[in-house]
Amino acid sequence: LVLEAVKNDGLALEYAGLGLRADRQVVLAAVKSHGHALSFADVALGSDQEIVLEAIKEYGPAWAYICPELQAKQDLLVLAVRRYRSDARLPHLPYAYQVS
């Protein structure tokens, strides 16, 4: 039931129990629907490269919710910037990469 809900609206993950927020399959489905759902997922899933990639592809600012090791990957940073908007600032983006 929860899996179907997050497939339709990834932000429904906010109302899921903690165990479901840590369930890789549920979180992956949620971020494919809406990348911001990563903000409601168990923090450990912010280091899962597949989940992170799907979240950023759908919603560039999801970059703020990923682990520092993946934030250091330039390909993910470039994807986040391109996905968000070239004229905007991403939250938690290193100053050197922010667009003025």
Side-chain angles (χ1 to χ4, degrees):
L1 185 61
V2 172
L3 186 58
E4 287 305 312
V6 298
K7 282 182 181 178
N8 290 324
D9 180 4
L11 297 179
L13 187 64
E14 178 180 8
Y15 305 104
L18 294 178
L20 292 169
R21 291 180 186 202
D23 183 292
R24 187 178 187 284
Q25 182 182 8
V26 171
V27 172
L28 184 58
V31 299
K32 284 182 177 183
S33 171
H34 198 299
H36 185 68
L38 187 58
S39 69
F40 305 117
D42 185 280
V43 70
L45 293 175
S47 63
D48 182 305
Q49 189 153 349
E50 182 181 9
I51 288 175
V52 164
L53 181 60
E54 291 298 330
I56 291 174
K57 284 189 334 191
E58 206 290 312
Y59 180 70
W63 187 86
Y65 307 113
I66 68 176
C67 71
E69 293 79 17
L70 292 180
Q71 283 184 345
K73 295 187 83 164
Q74 188 156 357
D75 59 331
L76 291 177
L77 176 61
V78 168
L79 177 62
V81 170
R82 286 185 178 156
R83 182 62 188 105
Y84 191 57
R85 277 181 275 154
S86 63
D87 64 344
R89 293 176 186 252
L90 285 167
H92 310 289
L93 185 65
Y95 183 77
Y97 294 106
Q98 292 183 9
V99 178
S100 53

mmCIF file with all atom_site columns, all heavy atoms in Angstrom, residues 5-14 29-31 33-34 36-37 40:
data_model
loop_
_atom_site.group_PDB
_atom_site.id
_atom_site.type_symbol
_atom_site.label_atom_id
_atom_site.label_alt_id
_atom_site.label_comp_id
_atom_site.label_asym_id
_atom_site.label_entity_id
_atom_site.label_seq_id
_atom_site.pdbx_PDB_ins_code
_atom_site.Cartn_x
_atom_site.Cartn_y
_atom_site.Cartn_z
_atom_site.occupancy
_atom_site.B_iso_or_equiv
_atom_site.pdbx_formal_charge
_atom_site.auth_seq_id
_atom_site.auth_comp_id
_atom_site.auth_asym_id
_atom_site.auth_atom_id
_atom_site.pdbx_PDB_model_num
ATOM 1   N N   . ALA A 1 5  ? 1.545  4.254  -2.868 1.00 0.00 ? 5  ALA A N   1
ATOM 2   C CA  . ALA A 1 5  ? 1.340  5.664  -2.521 1.00 0.00 ? 5  ALA A CA  1
ATOM 3   C C   . ALA A 1 5  ? 2.546  6.507  -2.916 1.00 0.00 ? 5  ALA A C   1
ATOM 4   O O   . ALA A 1 5  ? 2.393  7.585  -3.504 1.00 0.00 ? 5  ALA A O   1
ATOM 5   C CB  . ALA A 1 5  ? 1.057  5.805  -1.027 1.00 0.00 ? 5  ALA A CB  1
ATOM 6   N N   . VAL A 1 6  ? 3.753  6.037  -2.612 1.00 0.00 ? 6  VAL A N   1
ATOM 7   C CA  . VAL A 1 6  ? 4.937  6.837  -2.943 1.00 0.00 ? 6  VAL A CA  1
ATOM 8   C C   . VAL A 1 6  ? 5.238  6.816  -4.431 1.00 0.00 ? 6  VAL A C   1
ATOM 9   O O   . VAL A 1 6  ? 5.874  7.746  -4.939 1.00 0.00 ? 6  VAL A O   1
ATOM 10  C CB  . VAL A 1 6  ? 6.185  6.440  -2.111 1.00 0.00 ? 6  VAL A CB  1
ATOM 11  C CG1 . VAL A 1 6  ? 5.936  6.667  -0.635 1.00 0.00 ? 6  VAL A CG1 1
ATOM 12  C CG2 . VAL A 1 6  ? 6.642  5.033  -2.393 1.00 0.00 ? 6  VAL A CG2 1
ATOM 13  N N   . LYS A 1 7  ? 4.792  5.783  -5.132 1.00 0.00 ? 7  LYS A N   1
ATOM 14  C CA  . LYS A 1 7  ? 4.948  5.792  -6.595 1.00 0.00 ? 7  LYS A CA  1
ATOM 15  C C   . LYS A 1 7  ? 4.099  6.902  -7.205 1.00 0.00 ? 7  LYS A C   1
ATOM 16  O O   . LYS A 1 7  ? 4.497  7.535  -8.177 1.00 0.00 ? 7  LYS A O   1
ATOM 17  C CB  . LYS A 1 7  ? 4.549  4.450  -7.195 1.00 0.00 ? 7  LYS A CB  1
ATOM 18  C CG  . LYS A 1 7  ? 5.590  3.375  -7.048 1.00 0.00 ? 7  LYS A CG  1
ATOM 19  C CD  . LYS A 1 7  ? 5.125  2.087  -7.706 1.00 0.00 ? 7  LYS A CD  1
ATOM 20  C CE  . LYS A 1 7  ? 6.145  0.983  -7.549 1.00 0.00 ? 7  LYS A CE  1
ATOM 21  N NZ  . LYS A 1 7  ? 5.672  -0.280 -8.159 1.00 0.00 ? 7  LYS A NZ  1
ATOM 22  N N   . ASN A 1 8  ? 2.930  7.132  -6.633 1.00 0.00 ? 8  ASN A N   1
ATOM 23  C CA  . ASN A 1 8  ? 2.032  8.178  -7.133 1.00 0.00 ? 8  ASN A CA  1
ATOM 24  C C   . ASN A 1 8  ? 2.439  9.560  -6.659 1.00 0.00 ? 8  ASN A C   1
ATOM 25  O O   . ASN A 1 8  ? 2.267  10.545 -7.369 1.00 0.00 ? 8  ASN A O   1
ATOM 26  C CB  . ASN A 1 8  ? 0.588  7.892  -6.707 1.00 0.00 ? 8  ASN A CB  1
ATOM 27  C CG  . ASN A 1 8  ? 0.023  6.698  -7.429 1.00 0.00 ? 8  ASN A CG  1
ATOM 28  O OD1 . ASN A 1 8  ? 0.316  6.468  -8.592 1.00 0.00 ? 8  ASN A OD1 1
ATOM 29  N ND2 . ASN A 1 8  ? -0.781 5.924  -6.734 1.00 0.00 ? 8  ASN A ND2 1
ATOM 30  N N   . ASP A 1 9  ? 2.936  9.643  -5.435 1.00 0.00 ? 9  ASP A N   1
ATOM 31  C CA  . ASP A 1 9  ? 3.367  10.922 -4.862 1.00 0.00 ? 9  ASP A CA  1
ATOM 32  C C   . ASP A 1 9  ? 4.507  10.647 -3.894 1.00 0.00 ? 9  ASP A C   1
ATOM 33  O O   . ASP A 1 9  ? 4.283  10.220 -2.761 1.00 0.00 ? 9  ASP A O   1
ATOM 34  C CB  . ASP A 1 9  ? 2.212  11.607 -4.135 1.00 0.00 ? 9  ASP A CB  1
ATOM 35  C CG  . ASP A 1 9  ? 2.618  12.942 -3.514 1.00 0.00 ? 9  ASP A CG  1
ATOM 36  O OD1 . ASP A 1 9  ? 3.774  13.385 -3.699 1.00 0.00 ? 9  ASP A OD1 1
ATOM 37  O OD2 . ASP A 1 9  ? 1.780  13.544 -2.835 1.00 0.00 ? 9  ASP A OD2 1
ATOM 38  N N   . GLY A 1 10 ? 5.717  10.864 -4.349 1.00 0.00 ? 10 GLY A N   1
ATOM 39  C CA  . GLY A 1 10 ? 6.895  10.578 -3.535 1.00 0.00 ? 10 GLY A CA  1
ATOM 40  C C   . GLY A 1 10 ? 6.909  11.282 -2.200 1.00 0.00 ? 10 GLY A C   1
ATOM 41  O O   . GLY A 1 10 ? 7.462  10.784 -1.224 1.00 0.00 ? 10 GLY A O   1
ATOM 42  N N   . LEU A 1 11 ? 6.269  12.435 -2.128 1.00 0.00 ? 11 LEU A N   1
ATOM 43  C CA  . LEU A 1 11 ? 6.264  13.189 -0.876 1.00 0.00 ? 11 LEU A CA  1
ATOM 44  C C   . LEU A 1 11 ? 5.433  12.503 0.208  1.00 0.00 ? 11 LEU A C   1
ATOM 45  O O   . LEU A 1 11 ? 5.527  12.863 1.382  1.00 0.00 ? 11 LEU A O   1
ATOM 46  C CB  . LEU A 1 11 ? 5.777  14.615 -1.116 1.00 0.00 ? 11 LEU A CB  1
ATOM 47  C CG  . LEU A 1 11 ? 6.669  15.440 -2.052 1.00 0.00 ? 11 LEU A CG  1
ATOM 48  C CD1 . LEU A 1 11 ? 6.099  16.831 -2.247 1.00 0.00 ? 11 LEU A CD1 1
ATOM 49  C CD2 . LEU A 1 11 ? 8.097  15.499 -1.547 1.00 0.00 ? 11 LEU A CD2 1
ATOM 50  N N   . ALA A 1 12 ? 4.656  11.495 -0.162 1.00 0.00 ? 12 ALA A N   1
ATOM 51  C CA  . ALA A 1 12 ? 3.898  10.712 0.824  1.00 0.00 ? 12 ALA A CA  1
ATOM 52  C C   . ALA A 1 12 ? 4.851  9.978  1.771  1.00 0.00 ? 12 ALA A C   1
ATOM 53  O O   . ALA A 1 12 ? 4.434  9.548  2.847  1.00 0.00 ? 12 ALA A O   1
ATOM 54  C CB  . ALA A 1 12 ? 2.973  9.726  0.118  1.00 0.00 ? 12 ALA A CB  1
ATOM 55  N N   . LEU A 1 13 ? 6.108  9.873  1.395  1.00 0.00 ? 13 LEU A N   1
ATOM 56  C CA  . LEU A 1 13 ? 7.095  9.227  2.262  1.00 0.00 ? 13 LEU A CA  1
ATOM 57  C C   . LEU A 1 13 ? 7.171  9.931  3.619  1.00 0.00 ? 13 LEU A C   1
ATOM 58  O O   . LEU A 1 13 ? 7.467  9.295  4.628  1.00 0.00 ? 13 LEU A O   1
ATOM 59  C CB  . LEU A 1 13 ? 8.471  9.209  1.586  1.00 0.00 ? 13 LEU A CB  1
ATOM 60  C CG  . LEU A 1 13 ? 9.565  8.426  2.297  1.00 0.00 ? 13 LEU A CG  1
ATOM 61  C CD1 . LEU A 1 13 ? 9.215  6.943  2.365  1.00 0.00 ? 13 LEU A CD1 1
ATOM 62  C CD2 . LEU A 1 13 ? 10.896 8.616  1.602  1.00 0.00 ? 13 LEU A CD2 1
ATOM 63  N N   . GLU A 1 14 ? 6.865  11.204 3.652  1.00 0.00 ? 14 GLU A N   1
ATOM 64  C CA  . GLU A 1 14 ? 6.887  11.962 4.902  1.00 0.00 ? 14 GLU A CA  1
ATOM 65  C C   . GLU A 1 14 ? 5.988  11.326 5.968  1.00 0.00 ? 14 GLU A C   1
ATOM 66  O O   . GLU A 1 14 ? 6.270  11.406 7.160  1.00 0.00 ? 14 GLU A O   1
ATOM 67  C CB  . GLU A 1 14 ? 6.435  13.402 4.644  1.00 0.00 ? 14 GLU A CB  1
ATOM 68  C CG  . GLU A 1 14 ? 6.378  14.260 5.893  1.00 0.00 ? 14 GLU A CG  1
ATOM 69  C CD  . GLU A 1 14 ? 5.937  15.693 5.627  1.00 0.00 ? 14 GLU A CD  1
ATOM 70  O OE1 . GLU A 1 14 ? 5.522  16.016 4.494  1.00 0.00 ? 14 GLU A OE1 1
ATOM 71  O OE2 . GLU A 1 14 ? 6.023  16.495 6.557  1.00 0.00 ? 14 GLU A OE2 1
ATOM 72  N N   . ALA A 1 29 ? 11.388 4.209  -5.020 1.00 0.00 ? 29 ALA A N   1
ATOM 73  C CA  . ALA A 1 29 ? 10.137 4.538  -5.710 1.00 0.00 ? 29 ALA A CA  1
ATOM 74  C C   . ALA A 1 29 ? 9.722  5.980  -5.406 1.00 0.00 ? 29 ALA A C   1
ATOM 75  O O   . ALA A 1 29 ? 9.265  6.703  -6.299 1.00 0.00 ? 29 ALA A O   1
ATOM 76  C CB  . ALA A 1 29 ? 9.037  3.571  -5.286 1.00 0.00 ? 29 ALA A CB  1
ATOM 77  N N   . ALA A 1 30 ? 9.894  6.402  -4.169 1.00 0.00 ? 30 ALA A N   1
ATOM 78  C CA  . ALA A 1 30 ? 9.510  7.759  -3.773 1.00 0.00 ? 30 ALA A CA  1
ATOM 79  C C   . ALA A 1 30 ? 10.344 8.813  -4.496 1.00 0.00 ? 30 ALA A C   1
ATOM 80  O O   . ALA A 1 30 ? 9.791  9.788  -5.020 1.00 0.00 ? 30 ALA A O   1
ATOM 81  C CB  . ALA A 1 30 ? 9.644  7.919  -2.261 1.00 0.00 ? 30 ALA A CB  1
ATOM 82  N N   . VAL A 1 31 ? 11.654 8.632  -4.547 1.00 0.00 ? 31 VAL A N   1
ATOM 83  C CA  . VAL A 1 31 ? 12.501 9.657  -5.176 1.00 0.00 ? 31 VAL A CA  1
ATOM 84  C C   . VAL A 1 31 ? 12.336 9.675  -6.694 1.00 0.00 ? 31 VAL A C   1
ATOM 85  O O   . VAL A 1 31 ? 12.554 10.716 -7.315 1.00 0.00 ? 31 VAL A O   1
ATOM 86  C CB  . VAL A 1 31 ? 13.998 9.540  -4.788 1.00 0.00 ? 31 VAL A CB  1
ATOM 87  C CG1 . VAL A 1 31 ? 14.170 9.702  -3.288 1.00 0.00 ? 31 VAL A CG1 1
ATOM 88  C CG2 . VAL A 1 31 ? 14.632 8.266  -5.284 1.00 0.00 ? 31 VAL A CG2 1
ATOM 89  N N   . SER A 1 33 ? 9.491  9.444  -8.040 1.00 0.00 ? 33 SER A N   1
ATOM 90  C CA  . SER A 1 33 ? 8.283  10.246 -8.183 1.00 0.00 ? 33 SER A CA  1
ATOM 91  C C   . SER A 1 33 ? 8.555  11.713 -7.859 1.00 0.00 ? 33 SER A C   1
ATOM 92  O O   . SER A 1 33 ? 8.084  12.603 -8.547 1.00 0.00 ? 33 SER A O   1
ATOM 93  C CB  . SER A 1 33 ? 7.196  9.699  -7.260 1.00 0.00 ? 33 SER A CB  1
ATOM 94  O OG  . SER A 1 33 ? 6.092  10.564 -7.228 1.00 0.00 ? 33 SER A OG  1
ATOM 95  N N   . HIS A 1 34 ? 9.307  11.944 -6.798 1.00 0.00 ? 34 HIS A N   1
ATOM 96  C CA  . HIS A 1 34 ? 9.664  13.312 -6.408 1.00 0.00 ? 34 HIS A CA  1
ATOM 97  C C   . HIS A 1 34 ? 10.972 13.262 -5.627 1.00 0.00 ? 34 HIS A C   1
ATOM 98  O O   . HIS A 1 34 ? 11.025 12.707 -4.534 1.00 0.00 ? 34 HIS A O   1
ATOM 99  C CB  . HIS A 1 34 ? 8.570  13.956 -5.557 1.00 0.00 ? 34 HIS A CB  1
ATOM 100 C CG  . HIS A 1 34 ? 8.689  15.447 -5.492 1.00 0.00 ? 34 HIS A CG  1
ATOM 101 N ND1 . HIS A 1 34 ? 9.791  16.096 -4.963 1.00 0.00 ? 34 HIS A ND1 1
ATOM 102 C CD2 . HIS A 1 34 ? 7.869  16.424 -5.927 1.00 0.00 ? 34 HIS A CD2 1
ATOM 103 C CE1 . HIS A 1 34 ? 9.630  17.391 -5.057 1.00 0.00 ? 34 HIS A CE1 1
ATOM 104 N NE2 . HIS A 1 34 ? 8.473  17.622 -5.641 1.00 0.00 ? 34 HIS A NE2 1
ATOM 105 N N   . HIS A 1 36 ? 12.544 15.315 -3.869 1.00 0.00 ? 36 HIS A N   1
ATOM 106 C CA  . HIS A 1 36 ? 12.564 15.911 -2.528 1.00 0.00 ? 36 HIS A CA  1
ATOM 107 C C   . HIS A 1 36 ? 12.215 14.878 -1.456 1.00 0.00 ? 36 HIS A C   1
ATOM 108 O O   . HIS A 1 36 ? 12.510 15.081 -0.269 1.00 0.00 ? 36 HIS A O   1
ATOM 109 C CB  . HIS A 1 36 ? 11.604 17.095 -2.455 1.00 0.00 ? 36 HIS A CB  1
ATOM 110 C CG  . HIS A 1 36 ? 11.653 17.833 -1.160 1.00 0.00 ? 36 HIS A CG  1
ATOM 111 N ND1 . HIS A 1 36 ? 12.749 18.567 -0.759 1.00 0.00 ? 36 HIS A ND1 1
ATOM 112 C CD2 . HIS A 1 36 ? 10.754 17.934 -0.159 1.00 0.00 ? 36 HIS A CD2 1
ATOM 113 C CE1 . HIS A 1 36 ? 12.508 19.090 0.425  1.00 0.00 ? 36 HIS A CE1 1
ATOM 114 N NE2 . HIS A 1 36 ? 11.306 18.723 0.817  1.00 0.00 ? 36 HIS A NE2 1
ATOM 115 N N   . ALA A 1 37 ? 11.644 13.759 -1.841 1.00 0.00 ? 37 ALA A N   1
ATOM 116 C CA  . ALA A 1 37 ? 11.315 12.695 -0.893 1.00 0.00 ? 37 ALA A CA  1
ATOM 117 C C   . ALA A 1 37 ? 12.563 12.209 -0.157 1.00 0.00 ? 37 ALA A C   1
ATOM 118 O O   . ALA A 1 37 ? 12.467 11.676 0.948  1.00 0.00 ? 37 ALA A O   1
ATOM 119 C CB  . ALA A 1 37 ? 10.628 11.532 -1.608 1.00 0.00 ? 37 ALA A CB  1
ATOM 120 N N   . PHE A 1 40 ? 12.971 12.941 3.469  1.00 0.00 ? 40 PHE A N   1
ATOM 121 C CA  . PHE A 1 40 ? 12.195 12.193 4.460  1.00 0.00 ? 40 PHE A CA  1
ATOM 122 C C   . PHE A 1 40 ? 12.736 10.783 4.683  1.00 0.00 ? 40 PHE A C   1
ATOM 123 O O   . PHE A 1 40 ? 12.276 10.067 5.563  1.00 0.00 ? 40 PHE A O   1
ATOM 124 C CB  . PHE A 1 40 ? 10.726 12.105 4.043  1.00 0.00 ? 40 PHE A CB  1
ATOM 125 C CG  . PHE A 1 40 ? 10.114 13.446 3.776  1.00 0.00 ? 40 PHE A CG  1
ATOM 126 C CD1 . PHE A 1 40 ? 9.649  13.773 2.517  1.00 0.00 ? 40 PHE A CD1 1
ATOM 127 C CD2 . PHE A 1 40 ? 10.018 14.399 4.781  1.00 0.00 ? 40 PHE A CD2 1
ATOM 128 C CE1 . PHE A 1 40 ? 9.087  15.011 2.256  1.00 0.00 ? 40 PHE A CE1 1
ATOM 129 C CE2 . PHE A 1 40 ? 9.462  15.643 4.535  1.00 0.00 ? 40 PHE A CE2 1
ATOM 130 C CZ  . PHE A 1 40 ? 8.996  15.954 3.267  1.00 0.00 ? 40 PHE A CZ  1
#
